[in-house]
């Protein structure tokens, strides 16, 4: 009977974990920071108007209403981002964790039915998400006292938030039901969430682009609109906020509740059959070593560097026909949209280059292409760092979870070889996103929208940043025992180092120099994607702004080079410690010291190999 013992057990277990205390505390601090910054920004904005009362303590009625509206908007967007990030992280591992720990079999042999197991886990984990959302209620109540908030907007925003939570919970538990490991479940859920949020963008590009010429697309377009209408980004791209937004929002919430209920029902009905080895559409079992798994193409023969061969020569595996077809369709749709964008925006830029040459004549089309390149750079660069952090964060923890850690240590491979293989393997796994990013830059250079010097700079910065994030993820993975925790720590550190520190430094930084942006590499790389005119102006007009940005790039390169050097020195040492061979590091250091002195004396004791 719901909620049942699973609900109470999950609730007690989750409540006692320290990470949830830290999560609530961190979100509260972040919420307080944005509230203070919203008030400070409003006072600064009002101070620019001569008739405002910003110079005094009291605010007028209209200014107070504007403050209430600003607080409501800030809190709404902050809690929406938290919901999109936290719901899959908390729920995607619900079933997969018990399956990995071999606990799910005992639950299924108990008198509990599948509904009590699935719904109990979902309800207990959703409670933590609701607590995060409820922590925003005091700020919203304060904003209501200030005025400027339509009660209907408030009601619809929270109704849409909870329907989105319900939909993501259904998707997460459905993915967790048919996934063997929590790490894979979390990553797959984030992938499908990204598809769900990004589909309205692709649908808009296809509808206004080449898809309108294909009759088959016009046939399935009404059915695809049901997916577009269920996404929050669909409200933006259908201009729902421009007029009567009540009907689109209600339709979105209805679709989310419907889809979430379908996913929950599917997970409940298929939990026992899947665990018993029943087929999932075209798939035989959920185990990673399924006999129906097939490599899409052959693998290269092993070289004299087996660890690098293991990590960097893998071929994509098709575990079931349905996922292969869906992945292929998504790749074709994405490449088709990018190809259409390249022809639509790059064609006029190439005509300007053909007519006037590089850096000469009017630059209207090339400026438009440069703006598109910068937008794609920002999106792909952030996606690259997130994927790299997730892959590198599981480089060593995956060996422990697959019970291959002892076998790896028992091999004749040296620690440096294993670390180098994991480091290069993390970069190899994100090669497609990295190649697409470089292809966008090369296309911009060919079309005259990006200066060649700017291209060399952003390639160097990207290579340095990718190496740093990969090394950081490998180091964190060595220190952690579970992949989920390693992913969370790696992404958290990356978010802080790549721009999150600005939340702490900006209120305390009173100067006008841009040196504070030296760690925000996504912003620096996006900004450095400069045109011919901007590069010429940079070298010809040397002003304070030019000096500041030169210092930003130099500090960024020096800081990342130093951190990468430190991680490169510490990674092999940490590996030996985790391998329970700490004496080996000391003995090898003494041996190297004796050889460096050149006195010919053998070491007093040999390294324990």
């Amino acid at each position: 009977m719901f909620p049942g013992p699973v609900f109470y057990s999950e609730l007690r277990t989750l409540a006692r974990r320290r990470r949830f205390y830290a999560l609530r505390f961190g979100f509260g601090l972040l919420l307080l920071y944005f509230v203070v910054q919203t008030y400070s920004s409003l006072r600064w904005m009002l101070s620019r108007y001569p008739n405002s009362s910003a110079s005094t303590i009291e605010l007028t009625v209209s200014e107070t209403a504007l403050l209430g509206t600003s607080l409501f908007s800030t809190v709404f967007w902050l809690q929406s981002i938290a919901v999109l990030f936290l719901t899959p992280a908390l729920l995607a591992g619900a079933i997969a964790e018990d399956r990995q720990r071999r606990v799910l079999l005992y639950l299924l042999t108990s008198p509990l039915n599948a509904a009590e197991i699935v719904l109990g886990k979902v309800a207990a984990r959703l409670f933590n998400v609701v607590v995060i959302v409820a922590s925003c209620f005091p700020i919203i109540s304060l904003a209501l006292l200030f005025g400027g908030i339509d009660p209907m907007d408030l009601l619809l925003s929270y109704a849409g938030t909870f329907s989105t939570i319900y939909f993501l919970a259904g998707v997460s538990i459905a993915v967790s039901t048919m996934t063997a490991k929590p790490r894979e479940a979390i990553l797959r859920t984030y992938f499908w969430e990204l598809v769900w949020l990004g589909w309205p963008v692709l649908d808009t590009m296809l509808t206004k682009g080449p898809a309108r010429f294909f009759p088959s697309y016009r046939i399935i377009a009404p059915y695809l609109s049901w997916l577009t209408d269920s996404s929050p980004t669909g409200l933006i791209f259908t201009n729902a906020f421009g007029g009567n937004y009540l009907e689109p929002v209600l339709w979105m919430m209805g679709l989310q509740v419907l889809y979430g209920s379908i996913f929950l029902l599917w997970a409940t009905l298929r939990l026992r059959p899947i665990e018993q080895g029943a087929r999932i559409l075209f798939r035989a079992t959920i185990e990673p070593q399924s006999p129906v798994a097939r490599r899409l193409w052959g693998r290269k023969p092993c070289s004299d560097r087996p660890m690098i061969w293991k990590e960097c020569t893998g071929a994509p595996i098709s575990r079931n026909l349905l996922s292969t077809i869906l992945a292929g369709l998504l790749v074709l749709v994405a490449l088709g949209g990018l190809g259409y964008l390249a022809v639509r925006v790059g064609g006029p830029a190439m005509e300007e280059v053909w007519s006037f040459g590089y850096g000469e004549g009017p630059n209207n089309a090339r400026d438009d292409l440069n703006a598109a390149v910068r937008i794609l750079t920002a999106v792909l660069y952030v996606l690259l760092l997130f994927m790299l952090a997730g892959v590198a964060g599981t480089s060593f923890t995956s060996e422990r979870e697959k019970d291959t850690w002892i076998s790896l240590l028992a091999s004749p491979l040296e620690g440096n070889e294993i670390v180098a293989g994991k480091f290069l393997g993390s970069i190899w796994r994100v090669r497609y996103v990295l190649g697409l990013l470089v292809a966008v830059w090369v296309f911009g250079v060919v079309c005259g929208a990006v200066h060649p010097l700017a291209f060399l700079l952003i390639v160097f910065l990207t290579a340095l940043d990718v190496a740093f994030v990969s090394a950081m993820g490998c180091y964190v993975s060595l220190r952690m025992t579970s992949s989920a925790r390693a992913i969370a720590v790696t992404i958290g550190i990356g978010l802080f180092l790549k721009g999150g520190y600005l939340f702490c430094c900006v209120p305390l930084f009173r100067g006008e120099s841009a040196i504070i942006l030296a760690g925000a590499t996504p912003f620096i790389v996006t900004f450095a994607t400069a045109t011919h005119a901007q590069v010429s102006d940079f070298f010809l007009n040397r002003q304070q702004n030019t000096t500041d940005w030169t210092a930003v790039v130099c500090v960024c390169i020096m800081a990342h080079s130093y951190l990468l050097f430190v991680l490169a020195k510490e990674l092999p040492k940490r590996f030996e410690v985790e391998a329970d061979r700490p004496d080996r590091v000391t003995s090898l250091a003494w041996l190297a010291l004796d050889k460096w002195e050149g006195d010919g004396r053998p070491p007093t004791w040999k390294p324990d190999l």
Side-chain angles (χ1 to χ4, degrees):
M1 181 178 180
F2 185 77
V6 175
F7 170 78
Y8 294 110
S9 176
E10 286 281 324
L11 198 61
R12 285 194 298 267
T13 303
L14 295 175
R16 293 169 181 172
R17 291 181 178 175
R18 291 177 293 179
R19 71 184 72 170
F20 292 103
Y21 287 102
L23 177 63
R24 291 190 290 268
F25 179 75
F27 184 78
L29 286 181
L30 190 63
L31 183 64
L32 179 62
Y33 168 80
F34 275 102
V35 169
V36 173
Q37 284 298 109
T38 300
Y39 176 75
S40 302
S41 301
L42 181 65
R43 296 292 297 230
W44 175 82
M45 182 183 66
L46 294 176
S47 64
R48 303 180 64 183
Y49 296 95
N51 297 327
S52 66
S53 59
S55 58
T56 62
I57 299 179
E58 297 181 356
L59 297 177
T60 63
V61 176
S62 59
E63 292 171 350
T64 305
L66 182 60
L67 175 61
T69 305
S70 302
L71 286 176
F72 171 71
S73 301
T74 302
V75 172
F76 171 71
W77 285 108
L78 182 61
Q79 75 177 13
S80 299
I81 295 174
V83 163
L84 294 176
F85 272 99
L86 295 179
T87 305
L90 293 178
L91 280 99
I95 303 296
E97 285 179 0
D98 288 348
R99 180 178 287 119
Q100 186 182 37
R101 295 188 296 117
R102 309 296 182 184
V103 178
L104 186 59
L105 292 175
Y106 299 103
L107 283 176
L108 294 176
T109 56
S110 67
L112 298 172
N113 54 44
E116 289 180 298
I117 297 174
V118 173
L119 298 181
K121 288 181 173 295
V122 170
R125 292 172 183 259
L126 276 182
F127 185 79
N128 291 275
V129 182
V130 173
V131 167
I132 295 296
V133 177
S135 62
C136 302
F137 287 168
I139 308 299
I140 297 297
S141 303
L142 183 64
L144 285 173
L145 294 177
F146 293 152
I149 303 175
D150 188 355
M152 182 58 68
D153 294 342
L154 178 63
L155 180 62
L156 290 177
S157 64
Y158 272 98
T161 300
F162 287 116
S163 65
T164 303
I165 294 174
Y166 182 75
F167 170 77
L168 293 177
V171 174
S172 302
I173 202 67
V175 173
S176 184
T177 302
M178 58 181 184
T179 307
K181 297 180 180 179
R183 172 178 61 92
E184 297 178 0
I186 294 173
L187 294 178
R188 290 177 183 177
T189 305
Y190 276 126
F191 170 76
W192 289 115
E193 181 187 7
L194 183 63
V195 171
W196 175 60
L197 293 175
W199 171 251
V201 183
L202 291 176
D203 183 60
T204 303
M205 295 173 60
L206 292 174
T207 303
K208 297 180 180 180
R212 65 177 183 269
F213 301 108
F214 295 95
S216 57
Y217 186 82
R218 292 197 296 267
I219 295 175
I220 64 175
Y223 302 99
L224 293 177
S225 64
W226 284 49
L227 176 62
T228 304
D229 295 341
S230 66
S231 177
T233 53
L235 297 176
I236 301 174
F237 283 88
T238 56
N239 297 322
F241 293 112
N244 184 17
Y245 59 88
L246 179 61
E247 183 177 352
V249 172
L250 292 178
W251 177 243
M252 181 196 72
M253 291 189 296
L255 290 177
Q256 289 178 349
V257 172
L258 175 63
Y259 296 158
S261 301
I262 292 175
F263 284 123
L264 284 175
L265 181 62
W266 187 89
T268 303
L269 296 178
R270 299 296 297 172
L271 178 62
R272 290 181 182 273
I274 289 174
E275 195 63 24
Q276 293 171 0
R279 287 185 174 272
I280 310 171
L281 294 179
F282 303 101
R283 185 175 183 167
T285 63
I286 61 171
E287 293 300 324
Q289 300 297 331
S290 174
V292 299
R294 295 291 183 270
R295 296 188 184 276
L296 298 182
W297 53 77
R299 193 172 187 176
K300 296 180 180 179
C302 184
S303 63
D304 56 348
R305 296 180 179 180
M307 197 64 196
I308 297 179
W309 171 83
K310 170 182 175 293
E311 297 292 333
C312 300
T313 60
I317 294 178
S318 173
R319 300 194 184 279
N320 61 86
L321 181 60
L322 180 62
S323 62
T324 304
I325 294 174
L326 290 177
L329 289 176
L330 288 174
V331 170
L332 289 177
V333 169
L335 292 179
L338 290 175
Y340 171 74
L341 180 64
V343 174
R344 188 69 179 270
V345 184
M350 282 299 298
E351 292 180 1
E352 287 186 357
V353 172
W354 185 264
S355 301
F356 304 100
Y358 289 98
E360 303 293 338
N363 298 320
N364 296 330
R366 282 175 280 185
D367 289 342
D368 294 338
L369 179 58
N370 181 264
V373 168
R374 293 194 182 205
I375 293 174
L376 288 175
T377 297
V379 175
L380 292 176
Y381 198 89
V382 173
L383 178 63
L384 172 67
L385 293 184
F386 268 105
M387 292 180 61
L388 183 59
V391 171
T394 60
S395 55
F396 289 98
T397 54
S398 61
E399 299 288 349
R400 295 188 177 99
E401 292 175 350
K402 291 186 298 184
D403 294 332
T404 56
W405 175 252
I406 303 298
S407 302
L408 185 64
L409 297 181
S411 66
L413 296 174
E414 294 289 337
N416 290 331
E417 295 180 85
I418 298 176
V419 170
K422 292 294 183 180
F423 170 78
L424 296 176
S426 301
I427 302 175
W428 174 260
R429 288 182 174 85
V430 297
R431 62 191 182 277
Y432 295 116
V433 180
L434 186 59
L436 181 60
L437 186 61
V438 175
V440 170
W441 294 337
V442 171
F443 182 76
V445 172
V446 172
C447 295
V450 179
H451 196 279
L453 292 179
F455 171 76
L456 295 177
L457 176 61
I458 58 181
V459 167
F460 177 75
L461 289 175
T462 303
L464 189 62
D465 202 15
V466 165
F468 165 70
V469 174
S470 180
M472 180 188 67
C474 291
Y475 185 81
V476 173
S477 184
L478 278 173
R479 302 294 299 267
M480 298 297 167
T481 57
S482 65
S483 296
R485 185 176 299 178
I487 292 174
V489 173
T490 306
I491 292 179
I493 295 175
L495 286 175
F496 179 79
L497 294 179
K498 301 303 173 184
Y501 68 93
L502 294 175
F503 294 147
C504 305
C505 299
V506 168
L508 305 176
F509 194 82
R510 300 302 181 187
E512 298 180 355
S513 176
I515 196 67
I516 194 174
L517 299 173
T521 49
F523 176 79
I524 295 175
V525 171
T526 304
F527 182 83
T529 313
T531 61
H532 287 75
Q534 292 171 343
V535 172
S536 300
D537 184 69
F538 180 84
F539 286 107
L540 295 178
N541 301 326
R542 289 193 169 275
Q543 300 176 356
Q544 180 65 30
N545 190 24
T546 302
T547 305
D548 288 344
W549 282 109
T550 304
V552 167
V553 174
C554 292
V555 172
C556 177
I557 293 174
M558 290 187 295
H560 282 79
S561 300
Y562 174 75
L563 292 175
L564 182 59
F565 174 77
V566 172
L567 288 172
K569 298 289 288 184
E570 292 295 326
L571 267 173
K573 297 179 183 179
R574 191 66 210 178
F575 177 82
E576 299 297 340
V577 172
E578 294 296 329
D580 201 16
R581 299 181 298 196
D583 293 339
R584 187 174 184 178
V585 179
T586 307
S587 60
L588 290 176
W590 279 106
L591 181 61
L593 182 60
D594 288 339
K595 291 182 178 180
W596 179 73
E597 290 177 352
D599 55 0
R601 295 178 302 169
T604 55
W605 44 279
K606 295 183 179 180
D608 185 13
L609 298 178

